[in-house]
Amino acid sequence: MDTKGRLVAGSHNRNEFVLINADEVGRVTSVKELSGQICQICGDEIEITVDGEPFVACNECAFPICRPCYEYERREGNQACPQCKTRFKRIKGSPRVDGDEDEDGFDDLDHEFDLANGVSEAGLSSRLNIGRGTSNASGFGTPSELDAALNPEIPLLTYGQEDDGISADKHALIVPPFMNRAKRVHPMPFSDTASSVSLPPRPMDPKKDLAVYGYGTVAWKDRMEEWRRRQNDKLQMVKHQGDGGGGQNDGDVDDPDMPKMDEGRQPLSRKLPISSSKINPYRMVILIRMAILGLFFHYRIRHPVNDAYALWLISVICEIWFAVSWIFDQFPKWFPIERETYLDRLSLRYEKEGKPSELAPVDVFVSTVDPMKEPPLITANTVLSILAVDYPVDKVACYVSDDGAAMLTFEALSETAEFARKWVPFCKKFSIEPRAPEWYFAEKVDYLKDKVHPSFVRERRAMKREYEEFKVRINGLVTMAQKVPEEGWTMQDGTPWPGNDVRDHPGMIQVFLGNNGVHDIEGNELPRLVYVSREKRPGFDHHKKAGAMNALIRVSAVISNAPYMLNVDCDHYINNSKALREAMCFMMDPTSGKKICYVQFPQRFDGIDRHDRYSNRNVVFFDINMKGLDGIQGPIYVGTGCVFRRQALYGYDAPIKKKPPGKTCNCLPKWLLCCCCLSRKKKGKGKSKEKSIKSKKSKDMSIQIYALENIEEGIEDSEKSSLMPQIKFEKKFGQSPVFIASTLLEDGGVPRGASSASLLKEAIHVISCGYEDKTEWGKEVGWIYGSVTEDILTGFKMHCHGWRSVYCIPKRAAFKGSAPINLSDRLHQVLRWALGSVEILFSRHCPIWYGYGCGLKPLERFSYINSVVYPLTSVPLLAYCTLPAVCLLTGKFIVPEISNYASILFMLMFLSIAVTSILEIQWGGVGIDDLWRNEQFWVIGGVSSHLFALFQGLLKVIAGVNTNFTVTSKGGDDGEFAELYLFKWTTLLIPPLTLLIINIIGVIVGISDAISNGYESWGPLFGRLFFAIWVILHLYPFLKGMMGKQNSVPTILIVWSILLASIFSLLWVRVNPFLDRGGIVLEVCQLDCD
């Protein structure tokens, strides 16, 4: 059953499977199936027989092969179907070959002895572009015909080299396989009998091999076969077997036939350790800083402040917590590295000229929920950048998850699929970057740089006009969607939209583009584009984004089952069209790729103000912390821009590196060897049990495929024992035999002979709302449930299974997205991240106590502990930022009178902090302004979002009160950075605003007291003022956000005006000349006034 490009909706639990007719406009055309259209060997169309049916070569599996390829395989090949390996039967009209006598055939006397191969040979020779003339009776061209056919096309060469001693018309034509002009599918069909064709005599060069001058001779054939054999042996190492590229021909370094073979042997990437001149001083300063910390706390604890003991105790507790947090954050940065990829070597290994690409397929996941908060135009640009990626089109499939079941998203994706037919060929023709049209046309750069095609300007203008019309159509859909009809949405053919009820609707799947579906305007194939909306019913926990991602894993496994998956948010478009190739340099590396679970790319953002007021770029984390983790076991997963290995997400352990066999000595006495063996057996008793269990599992794996093939058939009770592995798989992956079978295919691929109808029916099954019940989905398989930040938890579980991850920073940013630049939205985003960390902290998956004895490295554990405990820092941070105001208002201080020793300690402490920051800036490549913005927002977020997240997490754990997070806004276009100055009130603003006010009041009161008390009080005041100003400076971006946009007067001027006005007012009160302080002294005069 063909879907004909229609929406498929259904529910496995309710036994519903509905095909909804699309409109007749033809915006989405039918998705053709693969069977019987194009030959899978040569790529030509399959002929139609006299009966009007397509030619079928194999009656078992109907693998599409044209008649010339069928006859060639029977005559020269292994006479078997390439797919099912069944021997070809003779079809009427084809000549008989060896082995046909044993078959019960039919009488075909006209073609019984047609050894010249007749029409099929002539058709095949014309396709092979071998330059033959008209065939004579024996099927070969005459010498004159050969010369006539060769002269105008190809210069006559002698094995690719001209000889001056031989005239040009006497050269023999020998075209090596790597010099052919056209793509050859079959070898020369007349090479076996070419020696019977007499060629004109010619002079010979004695320096050359005689085999060069005999095109069809045995010597030449042997030489070519030997050359092919050596070339294939050397290139077989790229089949991703993980043998390190070794082979029997490793010593042939000076091979003249393969001058680039050394380049093909090289690894696809390499580590670039940080220079020792940068990293060694950094490590020394860290150790010195730890020693200073010890002396500092020794002094602080031994010297309490008796008259302000409570303030002193609070400050010491806060400082100890800050020190512990710094240690957890600092030591994972001990081994930072960078990486470099070699895309040319990747192409040399897996994209051989004249052969199909051997690059691994990739499924791309895009997730969206609410089209009103995540604009459809942003999602459309992300999808367009995926469809136009620089990767083989038959290796890419894009799945869009609409977790809100919005018809607006469906219609926008339909428009996107139509526009992609024009956009994708334009991108690939002119190699433009980036391939998201919104950002490409908005770039303020010279778009004519490096462009030499004469039609580029004309086609660019036409494409920009097409995109503007596309934007108008999308905007029209958005405007129409804002007014929901009372009866709900209706599709263009009158069918009610299945997702009218967001909380109660069937699963929906729509294949917009496919491998044999809609082509672009130039007739080329497009990557597969699939719309998915999982089933939702009341009473089920759907697990938000993590549940949607797990549904995409299962749908993609049924439809395409690529071994690798890319996960991006709807607002993160592909900025570098070679991003997938960058990831494959790690995943497909023969030596180290097998142990990599995912490749994480840094997040880069568009539309952020130049000063990055709220540290949206997060440069310190992505360019310093993540590089440090890459040197240990790999970076943590950050939720987007990550390429996964499918097998790692299925909960499998990382492959264990086989150790070489140990060497033993035979010279020891036998009794000593026996003792050693006994002791080893006792120690290895537990390990032997584990090995026996693993071996038992491997034996089960050997029979599981047989069991899976018989699931849907009738199975007797006596066969239940053979289905035990199947029951285990169902408990882990669910009751879908097609999906379970796909999990066993490490290199991907869909079941052979499966029809589109059966696959779509199974796809509806795996996205049903009850599919995950009583399985390990969300516990050990897929994205892990239990936290709104499912990314940290998912990466942590994979690292616990022994996998390692890789951090890839290409020269051109791989992905770019939009960030919430408004203060309120930014705080809500940080609140969501912190709430997820708190949920993990109080769960069974907390890295403090989970995963010991597995493959997680200690420093990697430090990093995960720091990523879940950082919200706890909000309490001591809030207390520490309140202390300066309290000290200024009460006249107390947290430090006693400072001695010379204490002064040196404090100076060394601040100096070590400064030097550590400078050295991090040096090897991390970040700017000092980025470091300062990061420090500022650490304080702002710590006293607001982190604090609220901590209380909300405690309420959820103790009282079971769930809190919902708000999806942050994904951009706005009301002017450049208009969203930055938009003020939105939220309760998250109360704590930092309170801190700011009380510290400013404290500064004013402290200065007024110093003015009142005289010169002696200014000395103790400086310490308190420094403390308070430190807090105010860190909260300064928050103050700017509160002030909004000041068109004429800068915010800093307003702040300093308020401070100075307050100070001068106090001074004026102090020295007011109009105030009578002591009165007028009157003296008694001698005059009698009366």
Side-chain angles (χ1 to χ4, degrees):
M1 180 180 65
D2 195 352
T3 62
K4 302 298 181 185
R6 293 176 289 182
L7 175 67
V8 179
S11 172
H12 178 77
N13 299 332
R14 302 187 180 187
N15 197 20
E16 298 173 354
F17 187 77
V18 184
L19 279 173
I20 300 175
N21 292 323
D23 59 296
E24 298 180 356
V25 179
R27 185 172 64 242
V28 183
T29 59
S30 62
V31 182
K32 298 179 181 178
E33 293 194 29
L34 194 63
S35 59
Q37 298 297 328
I38 296 176
C39 176
Q40 298 300 296
I41 296 181
C42 63
D44 283 356
E45 294 184 1
I46 296 177
E47 64 183 51
I48 305 298
T49 62
V50 293
D51 300 331
E53 298 292 333
F55 174 79
V56 179
C58 178
N59 294 326
E60 299 293 333
C61 66
F63 187 67
I65 302 176
C66 63
R67 181 182 284 271
C69 295
Y70 158 77
E71 294 182 354
Y72 174 80
E73 288 293 331
R74 279 173 41 86
R75 186 180 67 255
E76 302 291 342
N78 56 8
Q79 302 182 0
C81 174
Q83 177 167 280
C84 65
K85 308 304 179 185
T86 305
R87 188 184 186 279
F88 282 131
K89 293 183 178 181
R90 179 170 171 263
I91 299 176
K92 186 175 181 180
S94 300
R96 187 178 294 277
V97 297
D98 294 339
D100 289 344
E101 290 77 13
D102 300 334
E103 298 179 358
D104 295 332
F106 43 80
D107 293 332
D108 187 15
L109 299 178
D110 295 336
H111 301 86
E112 184 75 22
F113 303 102
D114 189 8
L115 300 179
N117 301 326
V119 179
S120 62
E121 179 65 31
L124 183 61
S125 64
S126 64
R127 186 182 304 135
L128 296 179
N129 191 20
I130 59 177
R132 279 193 288 173
T134 306
S135 300
N136 55 18
S138 61
F140 300 103
T142 62
S144 60
E145 290 169 344
L146 286 171
D147 292 340
L150 293 173
N151 280 326
E153 295 290 336
I154 308 172
L156 295 176
L157 302 176
T158 304
Y159 206 77
Q161 299 176 355
E162 251 182 316
D163 190 4
D164 297 335
I166 306 176
S167 59
D169 57 344
K170 300 297 182 181
H171 280 289
L173 175 65
I174 297 177
V175 184
F178 55 87
M179 295 177 62
N180 58 349
R181 287 170 172 261
K183 177 182 178 181
R184 301 184 187 275
V185 180
H186 309 288
M188 298 294 185
F190 56 97
S191 59
D192 293 339
T193 56
S195 58
S196 63
V197 182
S198 60
L199 296 175
R202 67 201 69 179
M204 296 183 181
D205 185 1
K207 298 180 181 179
K208 297 185 180 294
D209 189 357
L210 293 178
V212 172
Y213 296 96
Y215 177 65
T217 61
V218 177
W220 180 83
K221 288 180 64 179
D222 292 343
R223 178 176 176 182
M224 291 304 299
E225 290 298 327
E226 177 66 18
W227 181 84
R228 286 197 191 97
R229 185 187 65 80
R230 286 188 283 112
Q231 193 176 37
N232 288 334
D233 289 345
K234 291 179 179 180
L235 293 179
Q236 283 303 318
M237 64 178 179
V238 306
K239 295 296 185 180
H240 202 69
Q241 297 175 354
D243 56 356
Q248 60 181 0
N249 295 317
D250 286 349
D252 300 336
V253 179
D254 300 327
D255 186 0
D257 293 328
M258 292 297 292
K260 278 194 168 183
M261 185 50 60
D262 285 340
E263 185 73 13
R265 296 173 190 263
Q266 298 298 321
L268 302 179
S269 63
R270 66 164 180 162
K271 295 180 182 179
L272 298 176
I274 305 298
S275 173
S276 58
S277 62
K278 296 179 180 179
I279 196 62
N280 287 341
Y282 176 70
R283 292 169 179 164
M284 291 175 61
V285 170
I286 291 175
L287 296 177
I288 293 173
R289 182 173 172 180
M290 291 193 67
I292 296 173
L293 269 176
L295 297 174
F296 173 79
F297 284 117
H298 179 267
Y299 171 80
R300 292 281 285 132
I301 295 173
R302 294 292 299 273
H303 294 79
V305 182
N306 296 323
D307 59 342
Y309 191 82
L311 297 178
W312 168 84
L313 183 61
I314 293 173
S315 66
V316 170
I317 293 174
C318 295
E319 289 163 359
I320 292 175
W321 178 259
F322 295 152
V324 173
S325 300
W326 173 78
I327 290 174
F328 279 117
D329 179 68
Q330 194 66 56
F331 276 93
K333 297 184 281 188
W334 191 262
F335 303 102
I337 62 170
E338 295 177 346
R339 295 182 185 269
E340 186 179 25
T341 56
Y342 301 100
L343 300 181
D344 52 345
R345 296 178 185 174
L346 181 74
S347 298
L348 187 63
R349 283 176 181 268
Y350 297 105
E351 293 183 303
K352 304 169 191 174
E353 185 178 358
K355 294 184 179 181
S357 173
E358 297 179 7
L359 290 173
V362 181
D363 290 338
V364 186
F365 298 161
V366 182
S367 58
T368 181
V369 180
D370 188 352
M372 293 302 174
K373 295 180 179 178
E374 299 166 323
L377 188 62
I378 300 296
T379 305
N381 273 270
T382 300
V383 172
L384 289 170
S385 69
I386 294 170
L387 298 178
V389 71
D390 184 8
Y391 208 74
V393 292
D394 59 328
K395 308 283 187 178
V396 179
C398 178
Y399 295 84
V400 180
S401 170
D402 179 17
D403 218 31
M407 189 174 177
L408 172 59
T409 304
F410 178 82
E411 293 291 342
L413 206 61
S414 176
E415 292 284 353
T416 304
E418 179 63 25
F419 179 71
R421 299 180 60 243
K422 306 171 185 177
W423 174 252
V424 172
F426 171 76
C427 294
K428 295 188 175 182
K429 180 178 180 179
F430 300 109
S431 301
I432 66 169
E433 297 285 358
R435 297 189 176 181
E438 180 70 24
W439 304 107
Y440 170 69
F441 291 120
E443 277 191 327
K444 298 178 181 179
V445 296
D446 182 13
Y447 63 85
L448 297 178
K449 186 178 181 181
D450 301 329
K451 295 295 185 292
V452 296
H453 203 285
S455 63
F456 172 69
V457 175
R458 181 178 67 257
E459 294 191 30
R460 185 183 185 274
R461 290 173 180 170
M463 185 54 60
K464 187 174 182 180
R465 183 168 57 253
E466 292 281 352
Y467 177 65
E468 290 172 350
E469 294 175 357
F470 168 73
K471 287 179 65 175
V472 170
R473 293 195 295 271
I474 296 295
N475 292 336
L477 291 174
V478 174
T479 303
M480 184 175 61
Q482 293 176 353
K483 300 178 180 179
V484 182
E486 294 182 359
E487 65 278 5
W489 295 108
T490 304
M491 302 183 71
Q492 295 186 7
D493 62 343
T495 307
W497 172 245
N500 279 325
D501 189 347
V502 179
R503 295 179 177 85
D504 187 3
H505 64 83
M508 294 177 282
I509 297 177
Q510 167 79 60
V511 181
F512 286 104
L513 304 174
N515 288 347
N516 269 351
V518 180
H519 291 69
D520 62 25
I521 57 176
E522 297 181 359
N524 301 318
E525 291 184 0
L526 289 169
R528 183 180 280 130
L529 176 60
V530 184
Y531 168 88
V532 179
S533 181
R534 57 179 173 148
E535 181 185 14
K536 286 190 176 182
R537 302 296 180 189
F540 288 89
D541 189 358
H542 301 291
H543 301 289
K544 299 181 180 178
K545 181 182 176 182
M549 299 307 298
N550 285 337
L552 286 183
I553 292 178
R554 297 191 293 270
V555 167
S556 62
V558 171
I559 297 178
S560 55
N561 195 31
Y564 304 105
M565 301 174 292
L566 168 64
N567 152 237
V568 293
D569 287 341
C570 65
D571 61 323
H572 272 72
Y573 65 91
I574 297 181
N575 183 64
N576 184 350
S577 61
K578 298 185 183 298
L580 294 181
R581 294 178 180 268
E582 296 276 357
M584 291 302 110
C585 285
F586 300 103
M587 289 294 196
M588 300 185 70
D589 192 281
T591 56
S592 60
K594 288 289 186 180
K595 292 201 66 174
I596 297 175
C597 57
Y598 60 82
V599 178
Q600 178 66 61
F601 292 88
Q603 293 186 21
R604 306 299 187 206
F605 299 99
D606 285 316
I608 297 177
D609 61 304
R610 181 168 56 90
H611 299 290
D612 191 13
R613 179 186 297 179
Y614 305 123
S615 189
N616 283 283
R617 294 190 178 93
N618 215 352
V619 179
V620 174
F621 173 76
F622 286 112
D623 288 356
I624 295 180
N625 294 63
M626 296 287 266
K627 287 180 181 178
L629 292 176
D630 198 16
I632 306 171
Q633 197 176 349
I636 63 176
Y637 168 45
V638 297
T640 183
C642 188
V643 178
F644 288 95
R645 183 183 299 275
R646 188 181 286 269
Q647 294 294 314
L649 277 172
Y650 286 159
Y652 292 119
D653 290 335
I656 301 175
K657 187 177 181 181
K658 295 181 180 179
K659 296 182 179 180
K663 297 180 180 179
T664 59
C665 179
N666 296 326
C667 60
L668 295 175
K670 292 184 178 180
W671 61 270
L672 184 59
L673 290 174
C674 292
C675 294
C676 294
C677 292
L678 287 174
S679 62
R680 288 179 182 175
K681 285 181 180 179
K682 290 180 180 179
K683 292 180 180 178
K685 192 173 181 180
K687 295 182 179 179
S688 63
K689 289 183 180 179
E690 294 178 0
K691 290 183 179 178
S692 65
I693 293 173
K694 289 183 179 179
S695 63
K696 186 177 180 181
K697 289 183 179 180
S698 63
K699 290 180 181 178
D700 293 341
M701 292 281 287
S702 63
I703 63 173
Q704 60 201 359
I705 297 177
Y706 175 77
L708 290 172
E709 292 174 351
N710 296 280
I711 290 171
E712 296 182 352
E713 301 177 2
I715 299 172
E716 302 295 335
D717 293 337
S718 60
E719 299 175 356
K720 287 184 179 179
S721 59
S722 64
L723 286 181
M724 289 304 295
Q726 173 61 23
I727 296 174
K728 293 179 181 178
F729 276 103
E730 287 181 354
K731 288 182 178 179
K732 182 174 184 178
F733 296 114
Q735 297 182 353
S736 171
V738 176
F739 175 75
I740 294 175
S742 70
T743 62
L744 308 177
L745 303 174
E746 185 176 354
D747 296 329
V750 295
R752 296 176 179 176
S755 64
S756 62
S758 62
L759 292 180
L760 285 173
K761 185 177 180 180
E762 199 65 27
I764 291 293
H765 177 201
V766 298
I767 62 173
S768 59
C769 54
Y771 181 83
E772 296 180 355
D773 291 347
K774 298 180 182 180
T775 66
E776 294 186 4
W777 283 100
K779 302 172 185 174
E780 298 292 334
V781 180
W783 269 260
I784 307 301
Y785 303 151
S787 171
V788 294
T789 53
E790 69 288 332
D791 43 10
I792 296 178
L793 206 51
T794 304
F796 174 65
K797 291 285 286 188
M798 283 189 279
H799 282 142
C800 286
H801 281 285
W803 297 93
R804 73 151 295 127
S805 55
V806 167
Y807 194 51
C808 179
I809 310 179
K811 293 182 179 178
R812 178 180 179 86
F815 304 92
K816 280 191 175 182
S818 56
I821 61 176
N822 175 265
L823 176 60
S824 301
D825 290 340
R826 172 69 167 145
L827 290 176
H828 273 287
Q829 184 188 55
V830 176
L831 171 66
R832 174 182 174 271
W833 296 343
L835 178 60
S837 297
V838 174
E839 290 173 343
I840 298 173
L841 178 63
F842 295 109
S843 70
R844 60 180 290 264
H845 291 115
C846 178
I848 299 176
W849 50 74
Y850 182 85
Y852 287 95
C854 62
L856 190 66
K857 295 184 178 180
L859 288 180
E860 192 78 11
R861 184 180 297 277
F862 268 40
S863 168
Y864 277 109
I865 291 175
N866 183 56
S867 65
V868 299
V869 302
Y870 75 89
L872 299 179
T873 311
S874 59
V875 175
L877 184 62
L878 181 65
Y880 208 69
C881 291
T882 310
L883 288 177
V886 175
C887 292
L888 286 169
L889 293 174
T890 61
K892 309 292 184 182
F893 199 43
I894 59 176
V895 179
E897 292 187 6
I898 300 178
S899 61
N900 293 335
Y901 173 73
S903 301
I904 295 174
L905 273 182
F906 280 105
M907 290 176 61
L908 289 176
M909 191 67 205
F910 286 111
L911 185 63
S912 64
I913 294 174
V915 173
T916 305
S917 302
I918 292 172
L919 292 176
E920 279 188 355
I921 290 172
Q922 189 178 12
W923 65 258
V926 303
I928 191 171
D929 53 339
D930 294 320
L931 190 69
W932 174 237
R933 294 298 184 198
N934 183 77
E935 284 290 322
Q936 287 180 314
F937 199 79
W938 174 73
V939 175
I940 297 172
V943 298
S944 57
S945 299
H946 299 174
L947 185 67
F948 277 79
L950 181 60
F951 287 121
Q952 289 182 6
L954 289 173
L955 285 175
K956 183 176 182 180
V957 173
I958 298 174
V961 178
N962 290 319
T963 55
N964 296 322
F965 66 90
T966 304
V967 179
T968 51
S969 175
K970 300 296 182 183
D973 48 1
D974 298 325
E976 189 176 13
F977 310 133
E979 190 77 12
L980 177 66
Y981 307 106
L982 183 62
F983 180 76
K984 299 178 183 179
W985 175 255
T986 174
T987 53
L988 296 177
L989 302 177
I990 296 176
L993 182 61
T994 304
L995 284 178
L996 193 63
I997 292 174
I998 64 174
N999 276 278
I1000 293 177
I1001 293 174
V1003 170
I1004 296 173
V1005 170
I1007 294 177
S1008 63
D1009 288 342
I1011 294 174
S1012 301
N1013 296 329
Y1015 176 77
E1016 294 180 355
S1017 61
W1018 284 96
L1021 178 64
F1022 282 133
R1024 305 187 191 99
L1025 283 178
F1026 175 80
F1027 202 7
I1029 292 175
W1030 176 87
V1031 175
I1032 294 173
L1033 289 178
H1034 278 77
L1035 293 175
Y1036 175 69
F1038 173 82
L1039 181 62
K1040 290 197 70 172
M1042 294 289 295
M1043 297 295 296
K1045 187 174 182 179
Q1046 302 294 329
N1047 293 323
S1048 56
V1049 183
T1051 306
I1052 188 64
L1053 188 58
I1054 295 176
V1055 174
W1056 281 108
S1057 299
I1058 295 173
L1059 285 174
L1060 293 176
S1062 303
I1063 294 170
F1064 283 121
S1065 298
L1066 293 171
L1067 287 174
W1068 180 258
V1069 171
R1070 175 66 178 172
V1071 297
N1072 188 0
F1074 300 99
L1075 181 63
D1076 185 8
R1077 296 182 180 276
I1080 302 174
V1081 180
L1082 299 176
E1083 295 181 359
V1084 180
C1085 60
Q1086 298 299 325
L1087 297 176
D1088 187 4
C1089 297
D1090 295 335

